[in-house]
């Protein structure tokens, strides 16, 4: 099917009218947990198409934003120890307790931006006299490439500092949080492609919250919204699939197997949310030679997740709009981010800032 179909104003209007009809004037709060969905919603002005009572709220869907300050502080410590630090472009600008990776680079640390873990492994091969550490933050989507390298056996001077998160346990925590209202979840398309829509079935059934996996075109998001409203009207709470051209109910079984081989699931700290049980992926003991957490010594750290005045924890939970933060667009800008939500392309504050605060 042509991409244009998923951007057709005619179809978008028809779906929006159906959403209006199904909502019947009731207040409906739909939460998504994916920065790319927020980008689609903001850049195509989808909120303006919806009736006032139906709101689309951005939850914790940006891996860089939820990366705990403690993990960034560990990366900074490794940079200070003189190792070659490799990571994605967004990651180096994430503010932490008192510094950032990019500030350490300005102080002389050897920090290299890579497009994938394969580039980092290559750097390790070319620099056998140095230790090379890859800072691997991400969700289930980025984790399989790291798992492949771990299992394949990288050079002995290569290790990974993981900050990998699993989305379904975080959504489980969200629905139980006091003050967090959600009538339905748009589940992340990329993550769903790996874990499958079945991974959200227990959330939908146990908590009575409809879930719909959506793609990233404007019509995908609108259609997922319509499907959630239809479930509500029919009294169903299921995990459904709008993104059938990519997502399967069982997900990508081969990717799940390699993840299982390289990582174990354990409790993990999320910035702004605290420690969430069974929400992180950590390198298995048999690969500990490539696990930077075990390979290096770290001094005691008093890491600070939320700097004074920053309201990222409330933005990450969808409790406030970024424009409600008094630092938005003033002390905190895309050029000079004060909080993590202003850093990456999937950060809610950055997306809102780039769309002119709309
Ligand atoms: Fe944090 Fe900046 Fe967003 Fe405020 S505008 S919540 S300081 S990232």
């Amino acid at each position: 099917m042509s991409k244009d179909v998923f951007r057709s104003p005619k179809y978008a209007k028809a779906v929006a009218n159906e959403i209006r009809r199904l909502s019947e004037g009731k207040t409906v709060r739909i939460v998504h947990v994916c920065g790319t969905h927020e980008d689609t919603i903001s850049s195509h002005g989808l909120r303006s198409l919806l009736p006032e009572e139906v709101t689309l709220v951005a939850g914790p869907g940006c891996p860089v934003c939820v990366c705990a300050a403690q993990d960034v502080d560990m990366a900074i410590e490794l940079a200070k120890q003189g190792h070659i630090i490799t990571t994605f472009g967004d990651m180096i600008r994430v503010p932490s307790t008192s510094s950032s990776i990019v500030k350490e680079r300005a102080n002389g640390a050897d920090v290299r931006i890579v497009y994938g873990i394969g580039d980092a492994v290559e750097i390790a091969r070319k620099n056998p006299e140095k230790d090379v550490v890859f800072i691997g933050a991400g969700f289930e989507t980025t984790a399989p490439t790291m798992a492949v390298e771990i299992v394949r056996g990288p050079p002995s001077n290569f290790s990974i500092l993981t900050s990998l998160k699993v989305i379904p346990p975080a959504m489980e925590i969200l629905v139980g949080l006091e003050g967090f209202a959600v009538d339905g979840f748009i589940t992340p398309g990329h993550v769903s492609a790996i874990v499958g829509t079945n991974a959200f079935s227990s959330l939908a059934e146990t908590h009575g919250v409809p879930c719909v996996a959506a793609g990233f075109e404007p019509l995908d998001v609108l259609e997922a919204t319509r499907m959630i409203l239809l479930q509500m009207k029919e009294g169903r709470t299921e995990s459904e699939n709008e993104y059938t051209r990519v997502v399967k109910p069982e997900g990508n079984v081969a990717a799940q197997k390699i993840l299982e081989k390289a990582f174990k699931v354990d409790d993990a700290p999320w910035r702004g949310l605290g420690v969430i049980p069974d929400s992180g992926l950590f390198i298995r003991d048999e690969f500990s030679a490539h696990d930077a957490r075990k390979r290096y010594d770290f001094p005691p750290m008093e890491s600070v997740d939320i700097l004074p005045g920053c309201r990222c924890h409330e933005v990450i939970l969808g409790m406030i709009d970024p424009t409600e933060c008094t630092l938005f667009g003033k002390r905190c800008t895309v050029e000079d981010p004060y909080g993590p939500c202003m850093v990456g392309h999937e950060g809610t504050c950055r997306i809102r800032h780039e769309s002119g605060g709309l």
Side-chain angles (χ1 to χ4, degrees), residues 310-312 315 325 327-328 332 338-342 349:
C310 173
R311 298 183 71 184
C312 275
V315 171
C325 174
L327 305 182
F328 180 86
C332 185
Y338 181 70
C341 296
M342 190 60 90
C349 295

Side-chain angles (χ1 to χ4, degrees), residues 271-343:
R271 194 182 293 228
L273 301 181
V275 174
I276 299 181
D278 293 337
S279 69
L281 296 175
F282 296 89
I283 297 173
R284 285 194 180 277
D285 291 344
E286 55 264 46
F287 305 110
S288 58
H290 301 293
D291 183 352
R293 289 175 189 275
K294 302 213 175 110
R295 183 170 169 140
Y296 301 103
D297 291 327
F298 296 94
M301 291 177 181
E302 295 284 332
S303 299
V304 178
D305 268 341
I306 305 297
L307 297 173
C310 173
R311 298 183 71 184
C312 275
H313 50 308
E314 294 167 275
V315 171
I316 288 168
L317 285 173
M319 287 178 166
I320 64 161
D321 188 83
T323 53
E324 291 176 61
C325 174
T326 52
L327 305 182
F328 180 86
K330 297 176 185 124
R331 167 62 189 85
C332 185
T333 60
V334 174
E335 296 72 32
D336 186 14
Y338 181 70
C341 296
M342 190 60 90
V343 175

